[in-house]
Amino acid sequence: MARLKTAVLISGRGSNLQALLDACAEPAFPAEIALVVSNVAGAYGLTRAERAGVPTLVIDHKGFDGRAAFDQAVDQAIRAAGCEAVCLAGFMRLLTPDFVAGWHGRMLNVHPSLLPAFKGLHTHERALEAGVRLHGCSVHFVTADLDAGPIVAQAAVPVLRGDTPDDLGARVLVQEHRIYPLALRLLAEGRLRLSGGVVEIDDATRAPESALVNPAP
Ligand code: GRF
C-alpha cells in the first residue's frame, strides 16, 4: 500500500510533529512524513525530524518580500518533495488563500480548543477566564479563515480547580498527540469526505455513548 506522503510545517518545539513521526514509524500506518519545513531556524522540531531521519528545510519568512512569495516557496518545496498532504503543527504563520486553495481537502491543523470556541491564540487562558468546565483540542481541515475549517476530530478534557493555563495546556496537549495521528490516518485512508462544510467519516469507530461531565455528578 502506498503511504500518503505528508509535509509537516512547524515553527517551534514540535511535540505534535513528534506524535506524527511516532505514528508514521509504524509500518502499517498509511502516511509517511516526507518533509518537515520550519519558518524558524533552530526550531526544536527540526531536531526531532532529523532524529527520525526525515528531510528538513528552513524557509525563513523574513527572507521574503510578502506572504505570497513565502507561501510560494513553501508550496514549491513540498510539491518537489512529492507531498500530497500537509499537516500544520504549531506553524505560526497565516497562509494565503492561494496556498490554502492549492491544498483544499488535503491540509490539516491541530488547534488547542474545542472549536469553534476560542479560535486564535492564548486558548487556555481564555478558557479559564470564560469558566468553561470542559476544554480540549481539535484537528480540522484548513480553510482561508483562521481555525474555522471543517472539524475532523476532537478530544475534551475537564478544567480542574486551581488549573493554571500551563496545567490545562499540558492536559490538552496529551490529547492533541492522540487525535492528530488519528486524523492523519483517516485522511490517508481516504475516509474523510467534505460535505457542505462538515466532515463525514466513512466507517468511523463510534465514540462511547457516555458523556464527560465536569464536575462529576
Ligand atoms: C499546539 O498546542 C498546537 O495545538 C498549536 O500550537 C502548539 C504547537 O505545539 N497549534 P508543538 O510545537 O506541536 O509542541
PDB file of all heavy atoms in Angstrom, residues 10-18 48 88-92 109-113 123-124 137-138 169 172-173 176-177, ligand 1:
ATOM      1  N   ILE A  10       6.168  23.545  10.707  1.00  0.00           N
ATOM      2  CA  ILE A  10       6.331  23.855  12.126  1.00  0.00           C
ATOM      3  C   ILE A  10       6.982  25.223  12.300  1.00  0.00           C
ATOM      4  O   ILE A  10       7.563  25.773  11.357  1.00  0.00           O
ATOM      5  CB  ILE A  10       7.202  22.796  12.852  1.00  0.00           C
ATOM      6  CG1 ILE A  10       8.631  22.785  12.258  1.00  0.00           C
ATOM      7  CG2 ILE A  10       6.577  21.412  12.765  1.00  0.00           C
ATOM      8  CD1 ILE A  10       9.651  22.062  13.117  1.00  0.00           C
ATOM      9  N   SER A  11       6.896  25.712  13.553  1.00  0.00           N
ATOM     10  CA  SER A  11       7.657  26.919  13.914  1.00  0.00           C
ATOM     11  C   SER A  11       8.397  26.737  15.231  1.00  0.00           C
ATOM     12  O   SER A  11       9.138  27.640  15.631  1.00  0.00           O
ATOM     13  CB  SER A  11       6.715  28.125  14.067  1.00  0.00           C
ATOM     14  OG  SER A  11       6.019  28.396  12.884  1.00  0.00           O
ATOM     15  N   GLY A  12       8.155  25.629  15.936  1.00  0.00           N
ATOM     16  CA  GLY A  12       8.680  25.576  17.297  1.00  0.00           C
ATOM     17  C   GLY A  12       9.048  24.192  17.785  1.00  0.00           C
ATOM     18  O   GLY A  12       9.694  23.416  17.083  1.00  0.00           O
ATOM     19  N   ARG A  13       8.551  23.876  19.012  1.00  0.00           N
ATOM     20  CA  ARG A  13       9.071  22.690  19.713  1.00  0.00           C
ATOM     21  C   ARG A  13       8.696  21.382  19.034  1.00  0.00           C
ATOM     22  O   ARG A  13       9.371  20.359  19.183  1.00  0.00           O
ATOM     23  CB  ARG A  13       8.579  22.681  21.164  1.00  0.00           C
ATOM     24  CG  ARG A  13       7.105  22.415  21.262  1.00  0.00           C
ATOM     25  CD  ARG A  13       6.504  22.506  22.635  1.00  0.00           C
ATOM     26  NE  ARG A  13       5.072  22.599  22.447  1.00  0.00           N
ATOM     27  CZ  ARG A  13       4.202  22.707  23.414  1.00  0.00           C
ATOM     28  NH1 ARG A  13       4.610  22.765  24.659  1.00  0.00           N
ATOM     29  NH2 ARG A  13       2.929  22.778  23.133  1.00  0.00           N
ATOM     30  N   GLY A  14       7.574  21.326  18.335  1.00  0.00           N
ATOM     31  CA  GLY A  14       7.283  20.159  17.507  1.00  0.00           C
ATOM     32  C   GLY A  14       6.815  18.914  18.242  1.00  0.00           C
ATOM     33  O   GLY A  14       7.053  17.793  17.781  1.00  0.00           O
ATOM     34  N   SER A  15       6.101  19.089  19.361  1.00  0.00           N
ATOM     35  CA  SER A  15       5.630  17.873  20.037  1.00  0.00           C
ATOM     36  C   SER A  15       4.536  17.170  19.223  1.00  0.00           C
ATOM     37  O   SER A  15       4.453  15.938  19.226  1.00  0.00           O
ATOM     38  CB  SER A  15       5.145  18.179  21.455  1.00  0.00           C
ATOM     39  OG  SER A  15       3.932  18.900  21.455  1.00  0.00           O
ATOM     40  N   ASN A  16       3.724  17.938  18.505  1.00  0.00           N
ATOM     41  CA  ASN A  16       2.744  17.281  17.622  1.00  0.00           C
ATOM     42  C   ASN A  16       3.432  16.616  16.434  1.00  0.00           C
ATOM     43  O   ASN A  16       3.032  15.534  16.009  1.00  0.00           O
ATOM     44  CB  ASN A  16       1.686  18.281  17.152  1.00  0.00           C
ATOM     45  CG  ASN A  16       0.610  18.477  18.191  1.00  0.00           C
ATOM     46  OD1 ASN A  16      -0.214  17.600  18.412  1.00  0.00           O
ATOM     47  ND2 ASN A  16       0.646  19.620  18.875  1.00  0.00           N
ATOM     48  N   LEU A  17       4.464  17.273  15.916  1.00  0.00           N
ATOM     49  CA  LEU A  17       5.272  16.622  14.876  1.00  0.00           C
ATOM     50  C   LEU A  17       5.781  15.281  15.396  1.00  0.00           C
ATOM     51  O   LEU A  17       5.735  14.269  14.687  1.00  0.00           O
ATOM     52  CB  LEU A  17       6.458  17.528  14.496  1.00  0.00           C
ATOM     53  CG  LEU A  17       7.572  16.846  13.705  1.00  0.00           C
ATOM     54  CD1 LEU A  17       7.098  16.396  12.332  1.00  0.00           C
ATOM     55  CD2 LEU A  17       8.780  17.772  13.576  1.00  0.00           C
ATOM     56  N   GLN A  18       6.249  15.260  16.645  1.00  0.00           N
ATOM     57  CA  GLN A  18       6.765  14.020  17.220  1.00  0.00           C
ATOM     58  C   GLN A  18       5.687  12.939  17.247  1.00  0.00           C
ATOM     59  O   GLN A  18       5.960  11.770  16.921  1.00  0.00           O
ATOM     60  CB  GLN A  18       7.288  14.270  18.646  1.00  0.00           C
ATOM     61  CG  GLN A  18       7.999  13.076  19.252  1.00  0.00           C
ATOM     62  CD  GLN A  18       9.319  12.806  18.544  1.00  0.00           C
ATOM     63  OE1 GLN A  18      10.188  13.661  18.496  1.00  0.00           O
ATOM     64  NE2 GLN A  18       9.467  11.603  17.971  1.00  0.00           N
ATOM     65  N   ARG A  48      13.925  16.956  16.044  1.00  0.00           N
ATOM     66  CA  ARG A  48      13.089  15.740  16.132  1.00  0.00           C
ATOM     67  C   ARG A  48      13.020  15.044  14.773  1.00  0.00           C
ATOM     68  O   ARG A  48      13.107  13.818  14.675  1.00  0.00           O
ATOM     69  CB  ARG A  48      11.671  16.101  16.569  1.00  0.00           C
ATOM     70  CG  ARG A  48      11.559  16.710  17.958  1.00  0.00           C
ATOM     71  CD  ARG A  48      10.095  17.040  18.201  1.00  0.00           C
ATOM     72  NE  ARG A  48       9.830  17.806  19.393  1.00  0.00           N
ATOM     73  CZ  ARG A  48       9.561  17.269  20.589  1.00  0.00           C
ATOM     74  NH1 ARG A  48       9.550  15.972  20.753  1.00  0.00           N
ATOM     75  NH2 ARG A  48       9.281  18.059  21.615  1.00  0.00           N
ATOM     76  N   LEU A  88      -0.206  21.139   9.520  1.00  0.00           N
ATOM     77  CA  LEU A  88       0.333  22.274  10.261  1.00  0.00           C
ATOM     78  C   LEU A  88       0.442  21.847  11.719  1.00  0.00           C
ATOM     79  O   LEU A  88      -0.530  21.339  12.297  1.00  0.00           O
ATOM     80  CB  LEU A  88      -0.597  23.492  10.141  1.00  0.00           C
ATOM     81  CG  LEU A  88      -0.971  23.916   8.715  1.00  0.00           C
ATOM     82  CD1 LEU A  88      -1.859  25.168   8.762  1.00  0.00           C
ATOM     83  CD2 LEU A  88       0.266  24.179   7.875  1.00  0.00           C
ATOM     84  N   ALA A  89       1.607  22.030  12.293  1.00  0.00           N
ATOM     85  CA  ALA A  89       1.815  21.576  13.675  1.00  0.00           C
ATOM     86  C   ALA A  89       2.566  22.664  14.433  1.00  0.00           C
ATOM     87  O   ALA A  89       3.796  22.660  14.482  1.00  0.00           O
ATOM     88  CB  ALA A  89       2.580  20.254  13.685  1.00  0.00           C
ATOM     89  N   GLY A  90       1.803  23.618  14.953  1.00  0.00           N
ATOM     90  CA  GLY A  90       2.432  24.737  15.630  1.00  0.00           C
ATOM     91  C   GLY A  90       3.144  25.631  14.633  1.00  0.00           C
ATOM     92  O   GLY A  90       4.207  26.185  14.933  1.00  0.00           O
ATOM     93  N   PHE A  91       2.555  25.793  13.464  1.00  0.00           N
ATOM     94  CA  PHE A  91       3.114  26.660  12.416  1.00  0.00           C
ATOM     95  C   PHE A  91       2.479  28.033  12.597  1.00  0.00           C
ATOM     96  O   PHE A  91       1.270  28.196  12.427  1.00  0.00           O
ATOM     97  CB  PHE A  91       2.789  26.073  11.044  1.00  0.00           C
ATOM     98  CG  PHE A  91       3.355  26.861   9.897  1.00  0.00           C
ATOM     99  CD1 PHE A  91       4.725  26.951   9.710  1.00  0.00           C
ATOM    100  CD2 PHE A  91       2.517  27.490   8.991  1.00  0.00           C
ATOM    101  CE1 PHE A  91       5.245  27.663   8.638  1.00  0.00           C
ATOM    102  CE2 PHE A  91       3.026  28.207   7.925  1.00  0.00           C
ATOM    103  CZ  PHE A  91       4.406  28.293   7.741  1.00  0.00           C
ATOM    104  N   MET A  92       3.308  29.008  12.974  1.00  0.00           N
ATOM    105  CA  MET A  92       2.767  30.287  13.450  1.00  0.00           C
ATOM    106  C   MET A  92       2.689  31.351  12.356  1.00  0.00           C
ATOM    107  O   MET A  92       2.969  32.524  12.597  1.00  0.00           O
ATOM    108  CB  MET A  92       3.613  30.791  14.631  1.00  0.00           C
ATOM    109  CG  MET A  92       3.679  29.830  15.795  1.00  0.00           C
ATOM    110  SD  MET A  92       2.050  29.340  16.395  1.00  0.00           S
ATOM    111  CE  MET A  92       1.614  30.820  17.296  1.00  0.00           C
ATOM    112  N   ASN A 109      -4.859  21.018  10.448  1.00  0.00           N
ATOM    113  CA  ASN A 109      -4.234  21.789  11.524  1.00  0.00           C
ATOM    114  C   ASN A 109      -4.730  21.238  12.851  1.00  0.00           C
ATOM    115  O   ASN A 109      -5.858  20.737  12.942  1.00  0.00           O
ATOM    116  CB  ASN A 109      -4.631  23.267  11.408  1.00  0.00           C
ATOM    117  CG  ASN A 109      -3.995  24.122  12.497  1.00  0.00           C
ATOM    118  OD1 ASN A 109      -2.819  23.961  12.820  1.00  0.00           O
ATOM    119  ND2 ASN A 109      -4.773  25.024  13.076  1.00  0.00           N
ATOM    120  N   VAL A 110      -3.891  21.337  13.875  1.00  0.00           N
ATOM    121  CA  VAL A 110      -4.338  20.994  15.230  1.00  0.00           C
ATOM    122  C   VAL A 110      -4.429  22.293  16.012  1.00  0.00           C
ATOM    123  O   VAL A 110      -3.549  23.148  15.942  1.00  0.00           O
ATOM    124  CB  VAL A 110      -3.389  19.982  15.912  1.00  0.00           C
ATOM    125  CG1 VAL A 110      -1.973  20.528  16.086  1.00  0.00           C
ATOM    126  CG2 VAL A 110      -3.964  19.530  17.259  1.00  0.00           C
ATOM    127  N   HIS A 111      -5.546  22.445  16.727  1.00  0.00           N
ATOM    128  CA  HIS A 111      -5.791  23.686  17.459  1.00  0.00           C
ATOM    129  C   HIS A 111      -6.160  23.349  18.901  1.00  0.00           C
ATOM    130  O   HIS A 111      -6.982  22.458  19.144  1.00  0.00           O
ATOM    131  CB  HIS A 111      -6.932  24.471  16.796  1.00  0.00           C
ATOM    132  CG  HIS A 111      -7.218  25.763  17.496  1.00  0.00           C
ATOM    133  ND1 HIS A 111      -6.392  26.859  17.378  1.00  0.00           N
ATOM    134  CD2 HIS A 111      -8.212  26.116  18.348  1.00  0.00           C
ATOM    135  CE1 HIS A 111      -6.875  27.833  18.134  1.00  0.00           C
ATOM    136  NE2 HIS A 111      -7.976  27.414  18.727  1.00  0.00           N
ATOM    137  N   PRO A 112      -5.591  24.098  19.866  1.00  0.00           N
ATOM    138  CA  PRO A 112      -5.807  23.730  21.269  1.00  0.00           C
ATOM    139  C   PRO A 112      -7.086  24.304  21.877  1.00  0.00           C
ATOM    140  O   PRO A 112      -7.053  25.002  22.896  1.00  0.00           O
ATOM    141  CB  PRO A 112      -4.548  24.275  21.953  1.00  0.00           C
ATOM    142  CG  PRO A 112      -4.168  25.466  21.139  1.00  0.00           C
ATOM    143  CD  PRO A 112      -4.568  25.155  19.721  1.00  0.00           C
ATOM    144  N   SER A 113      -8.216  24.005  21.278  1.00  0.00           N
ATOM    145  CA  SER A 113      -9.517  24.303  21.894  1.00  0.00           C
ATOM    146  C   SER A 113     -10.555  23.431  21.226  1.00  0.00           C
ATOM    147  O   SER A 113     -10.300  22.839  20.176  1.00  0.00           O
ATOM    148  CB  SER A 113      -9.924  25.774  21.726  1.00  0.00           C
ATOM    149  OG  SER A 113     -10.409  26.001  20.417  1.00  0.00           O
ATOM    150  N   THR A 123      -5.513  30.165  24.009  1.00  0.00           N
ATOM    151  CA  THR A 123      -6.789  29.468  24.204  1.00  0.00           C
ATOM    152  C   THR A 123      -6.988  29.011  25.645  1.00  0.00           C
ATOM    153  O   THR A 123      -8.110  29.020  26.138  1.00  0.00           O
ATOM    154  CB  THR A 123      -6.879  28.252  23.265  1.00  0.00           C
ATOM    155  OG1 THR A 123      -5.749  27.414  23.509  1.00  0.00           O
ATOM    156  CG2 THR A 123      -6.887  28.674  21.806  1.00  0.00           C
ATOM    157  N   HIS A 124      -5.921  28.604  26.300  1.00  0.00           N
ATOM    158  CA  HIS A 124      -6.082  28.060  27.661  1.00  0.00           C
ATOM    159  C   HIS A 124      -6.405  29.177  28.655  1.00  0.00           C
ATOM    160  O   HIS A 124      -7.286  29.020  29.502  1.00  0.00           O
ATOM    161  CB  HIS A 124      -4.828  27.273  28.070  1.00  0.00           C
ATOM    162  CG  HIS A 124      -4.419  26.283  27.032  1.00  0.00           C
ATOM    163  ND1 HIS A 124      -5.299  25.361  26.490  1.00  0.00           N
ATOM    164  CD2 HIS A 124      -3.247  26.097  26.381  1.00  0.00           C
ATOM    165  CE1 HIS A 124      -4.676  24.649  25.577  1.00  0.00           C
ATOM    166  NE2 HIS A 124      -3.430  25.071  25.484  1.00  0.00           N
ATOM    167  N   CYS A 137      -9.209  19.989  22.351  1.00  0.00           N
ATOM    168  CA  CYS A 137      -8.454  20.269  21.134  1.00  0.00           C
ATOM    169  C   CYS A 137      -9.205  19.721  19.931  1.00  0.00           C
ATOM    170  O   CYS A 137     -10.104  18.882  20.068  1.00  0.00           O
ATOM    171  CB  CYS A 137      -7.066  19.646  21.217  1.00  0.00           C
ATOM    172  SG  CYS A 137      -7.059  17.913  21.678  1.00  0.00           S
ATOM    173  N   SER A 138      -8.820  20.239  18.773  1.00  0.00           N
ATOM    174  CA  SER A 138      -9.496  19.898  17.530  1.00  0.00           C
ATOM    175  C   SER A 138      -8.464  19.724  16.430  1.00  0.00           C
ATOM    176  O   SER A 138      -7.484  20.472  16.366  1.00  0.00           O
ATOM    177  CB  SER A 138     -10.448  21.028  17.086  1.00  0.00           C
ATOM    178  OG  SER A 138     -11.313  21.422  18.135  1.00  0.00           O
ATOM    179  N   GLY A 169      -3.094  23.476  29.563  1.00  0.00           N
ATOM    180  CA  GLY A 169      -2.464  23.265  28.263  1.00  0.00           C
ATOM    181  C   GLY A 169      -1.779  21.905  28.183  1.00  0.00           C
ATOM    182  O   GLY A 169      -1.833  21.233  27.148  1.00  0.00           O
ATOM    183  N   VAL A 172      -4.399  19.266  27.707  1.00  0.00           N
ATOM    184  CA  VAL A 172      -4.905  19.292  26.327  1.00  0.00           C
ATOM    185  C   VAL A 172      -3.875  18.697  25.365  1.00  0.00           C
ATOM    186  O   VAL A 172      -4.227  17.936  24.451  1.00  0.00           O
ATOM    187  CB  VAL A 172      -5.265  20.738  25.918  1.00  0.00           C
ATOM    188  CG1 VAL A 172      -5.527  20.842  24.427  1.00  0.00           C
ATOM    189  CG2 VAL A 172      -6.480  21.228  26.707  1.00  0.00           C
ATOM    190  N   LEU A 173      -2.599  19.041  25.594  1.00  0.00           N
ATOM    191  CA  LEU A 173      -1.551  18.614  24.652  1.00  0.00           C
ATOM    192  C   LEU A 173      -1.478  17.087  24.531  1.00  0.00           C
ATOM    193  O   LEU A 173      -1.269  16.558  23.439  1.00  0.00           O
ATOM    194  CB  LEU A 173      -0.196  19.183  25.095  1.00  0.00           C
ATOM    195  CG  LEU A 173       0.947  19.094  24.081  1.00  0.00           C
ATOM    196  CD1 LEU A 173       0.649  19.915  22.820  1.00  0.00           C
ATOM    197  CD2 LEU A 173       2.265  19.542  24.708  1.00  0.00           C
ATOM    198  N   GLU A 176      -3.951  16.256  22.057  1.00  0.00           N
ATOM    199  CA  GLU A 176      -3.552  16.646  20.691  1.00  0.00           C
ATOM    200  C   GLU A 176      -2.723  15.529  20.072  1.00  0.00           C
ATOM    201  O   GLU A 176      -2.892  15.182  18.893  1.00  0.00           O
ATOM    202  CB  GLU A 176      -2.721  17.934  20.721  1.00  0.00           C
ATOM    203  CG  GLU A 176      -3.484  19.152  21.182  1.00  0.00           C
ATOM    204  CD  GLU A 176      -2.636  20.422  21.113  1.00  0.00           C
ATOM    205  OE1 GLU A 176      -1.821  20.557  20.188  1.00  0.00           O
ATOM    206  OE2 GLU A 176      -2.801  21.275  21.999  1.00  0.00           O
ATOM    207  N   HIS A 177      -1.839  14.963  20.908  1.00  0.00           N
ATOM    208  CA  HIS A 177      -0.937  13.927  20.401  1.00  0.00           C
ATOM    209  C   HIS A 177      -1.693  12.646  20.062  1.00  0.00           C
ATOM    210  O   HIS A 177      -1.173  11.798  19.349  1.00  0.00           O
ATOM    211  CB  HIS A 177       0.161  13.651  21.436  1.00  0.00           C
ATOM    212  CG  HIS A 177       1.011  14.856  21.719  1.00  0.00           C
ATOM    213  ND1 HIS A 177       1.808  14.981  22.825  1.00  0.00           N
ATOM    214  CD2 HIS A 177       1.142  16.023  21.023  1.00  0.00           C
ATOM    215  CE1 HIS A 177       2.430  16.162  22.796  1.00  0.00           C
ATOM    216  NE2 HIS A 177       2.034  16.806  21.720  1.00  0.00           N
TER     217      HIS A 177
HETATM  218  C1  GRF B   1      -0.046  23.154  19.954  1.00  0.00           C
HETATM  219  O1  GRF B   1      -0.720  23.456  21.144  1.00  0.00           O
HETATM  220  C2  GRF B   1      -0.973  23.289  18.776  1.00  0.00           C
HETATM  221  O2  GRF B   1      -2.278  22.941  19.077  1.00  0.00           O
HETATM  222  C3  GRF B   1      -0.873  24.752  18.450  1.00  0.00           C
HETATM  223  O3  GRF B   1       0.472  25.078  18.679  1.00  0.00           O
HETATM  224  C4  GRF B   1       1.012  24.183  19.629  1.00  0.00           C
HETATM  225  C5  GRF B   1       2.213  23.559  18.994  1.00  0.00           C
HETATM  226  O4  GRF B   1       2.911  22.745  19.870  1.00  0.00           O
HETATM  227  N1  GRF B   1      -1.334  24.989  17.109  1.00  0.00           N
HETATM  228  P1  GRF B   1       4.012  21.753  19.329  1.00  0.00           P
HETATM  229  O5  GRF B   1       5.020  22.607  18.561  1.00  0.00           O
HETATM  230  O6  GRF B   1       3.362  20.751  18.457  1.00  0.00           O
HETATM  231  O7  GRF B   1       4.630  21.144  20.552  1.00  0.00           O
END
